[in-house]
């Protein structure tokens, strides 16, 4: 029985890692779409459209019962706090996207996994082995080498991304708490309901009527963001936040690929070295978790 329990726990953790990795791929694709959109409309309007799209999908999938269950959920208030931190992080991040390349944006943002690991110790009481700390540091070193963010300076866009990293770190730790308390569809509905409330008035104040191409991008942002959030919630249910933190570095790989595909950005030689370190960090954390569970 003990061996079966260990096997189930290990499979659960690995499933959480895979789900979270897929979520970050979708988030990166969403980021590229939003970077295209922020040229012609406000971040508030994008968040407004995104929330409506996701809420519509929730209604189609869950129906009235989902909304009734959500109103009785014990996480209604905790989700309000977490959604406020998440929205603040995204507002900072996507406003900076107007001035920074996608790769630069992602690079500076990668203070977030380190913040998550530190906060998971103090706020969640998680024990973080040395190998996980090593994986976080290796991943951050890879990001630093790939983009060399020092040449960017402490401009307003860079400060906005750093603020986004800190706010997102807090939101991820809070997500770990709510993820264990409620099913993912309810979290998805609550999260985007609060986003809709927060963004409605500013979106109307800075309204820009979208054209057909923008409408298609807005729909894709909603679909990508909704699915990514659902996968992230499911991953958080299965795996400690400090284990998942280094996986966020995989977003950098997608950022470079999307930057080349959309804007023609050609990665430098340092990018490949940085990417190798980032992949090594991800493999280290997966391998360390596998070895620990076997012991």
């Amino acid at each position: 029985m003990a061996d079966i329990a260990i096997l189930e726990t290990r499979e659960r953790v690995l499933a959480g890692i895979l789900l979270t990795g897929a979520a970050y791929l979708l988030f990166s694709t969403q980021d590229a779409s939003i970077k295209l959109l922020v040229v012609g409309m406000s971040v508030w309007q994008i968040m407004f459209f995104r929330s409506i799209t996701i809420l519509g999908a929730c209604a189609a999938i869950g129906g009235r019962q989902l909304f009734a269950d959500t109103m009785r959920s014990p996480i209604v208030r905790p989700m309000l706090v977490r959604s406020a931190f998440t929205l603040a992080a995204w507002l900072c991040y996507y406003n900076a996207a107007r001035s920074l390349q996608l790769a630069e944006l992602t690079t500076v943002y990668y203070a977030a996994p380190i913040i998550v690991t530190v906060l998971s110790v103090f706020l969640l009481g998680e024990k973080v082995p040395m190998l996980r700390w090593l994986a976080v540091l290796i991943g951050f070193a890879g990001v630093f080498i790939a983009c060399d963010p020092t040449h960017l300076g402490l401009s307003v866009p860079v400060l906005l991304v750093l603020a986004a990293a800190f706010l997102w770190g807090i939101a991820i730790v809070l997500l770990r708490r709510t993820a264990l308390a409620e099913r993912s569809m309810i979290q998805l509905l609550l999260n985007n309901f609060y986003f809709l409330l927060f963004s409605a008035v500013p979106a109307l104040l800075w309204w820009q009527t979208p054209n057909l191409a923008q409408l298609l991008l807005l729909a894709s942002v909603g679909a990508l963001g909704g699915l990514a959030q659902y996968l992230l919630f499911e991953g958080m249910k299965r795996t400690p936040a400090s284990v998942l933190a280094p996986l966020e570095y995989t977003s950098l790989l997608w950022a470079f690929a999307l930057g080349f595909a959309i804007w023609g950005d050609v990665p430098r030689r340092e990018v490949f070295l940085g990417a190798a370190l980032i992949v090594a960090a991800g493999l280290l954390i997966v391998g360390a978790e596998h070895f620990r569970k076997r012991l």
Side-chain angles (χ1 to χ4, degrees):
M1 292 296 292
D3 291 339
I4 294 175
I6 291 173
L7 180 61
E8 289 178 348
T9 301
R10 184 172 62 192
E11 289 178 348
R12 183 178 177 83
V13 169
L14 291 176
I17 290 172
L18 291 174
L19 288 168
T20 305
Y24 286 128
L25 167 58
L26 296 178
F27 276 131
S28 296
T29 310
Q30 173 199 249
D31 289 350
S33 300
I34 292 178
K35 182 170 172 58
L36 291 169
L37 285 167
V38 292
V39 176
M41 64 179 61
S42 71
V43 177
W44 291 108
Q45 188 174 348
I46 296 168
M47 292 294 104
F48 179 76
F49 270 98
R50 180 179 180 273
S51 300
I52 289 178
T53 304
I54 294 173
L55 289 173
C58 288
I61 295 170
R64 292 183 179 179
Q65 187 60 48
L66 175 61
F67 284 82
D69 293 343
T70 300
M71 291 179 66
R72 295 191 297 266
S73 174
I75 69 164
V76 170
R77 288 185 179 180
M79 279 291 293
L80 174 61
V81 177
R82 202 199 84 199
S83 297
F85 276 107
T86 305
L87 181 62
W90 283 352
L91 287 171
C92 292
Y93 186 79
Y94 292 126
N95 275 302
R98 291 191 175 95
S99 305
L100 298 176
Q101 294 180 356
L102 188 60
E104 293 174 339
L105 194 68
T106 308
T107 298
V108 180
Y109 172 75
Y110 274 100
I114 294 177
I115 294 169
V116 171
T117 301
V118 174
L119 291 177
S120 68
V121 174
F122 294 103
L123 299 183
L124 299 179
E126 293 183 4
K127 295 181 179 179
V128 181
M130 286 302 298
L131 277 178
R132 289 190 204 167
W133 286 113
L134 180 61
V136 170
L137 293 175
I138 290 174
F140 187 76
V143 171
F144 189 87
I145 291 172
C147 281
D148 187 17
T150 54
H151 79 277
L152 297 177
L154 288 179
S155 61
V156 172
V158 171
L159 291 174
L160 281 173
V161 181
L162 289 173
F166 180 74
L167 292 166
W168 179 247
I170 295 174
I172 283 290
V173 173
L174 294 175
L175 170 57
R176 175 63 179 163
R177 286 180 170 176
T178 56
L180 299 175
E182 190 55 272
R183 68 183 194 264
S184 298
M185 284 299 295
I186 288 179
Q187 294 185 69
L188 190 62
L189 193 153
L190 276 174
N191 201 42
N192 288 280
F193 173 72
Y194 289 136
F195 284 176
L196 186 65
L197 288 182
F198 293 148
S199 63
V201 173
L204 293 175
L205 288 175
W206 288 287
W207 182 266
Q208 295 287 333
T209 303
N211 56 35
L212 179 59
Q214 289 173 325
L215 280 174
L216 292 174
L217 276 174
L218 286 168
S220 70
V221 164
L224 291 167
L227 182 55
Q229 285 181 60
Y230 181 83
L231 294 178
L232 188 62
F233 295 156
E234 287 293 310
M236 284 289 179
K237 284 183 177 180
R238 293 166 170 80
T239 309
S242 55
V243 175
L244 296 177
L247 291 179
E248 199 164 356
Y249 290 123
T250 59
S251 297
L252 181 63
L253 304 178
W254 306 125
F256 280 117
L258 290 166
F260 176 75
I262 299 172
W263 293 280
D265 297 334
V266 179
R268 294 170 288 106
R269 192 173 49 181
E270 291 81 2
V271 170
F272 295 99
L273 175 58
L277 288 173
I278 294 164
V279 172
L283 293 176
L284 177 61
I285 201 67
V286 173
E289 184 62 25
H290 179 77
F291 181 71
R292 187 179 71 85
K293 292 300 181 183
R294 290 192 65 180
L295 289 179

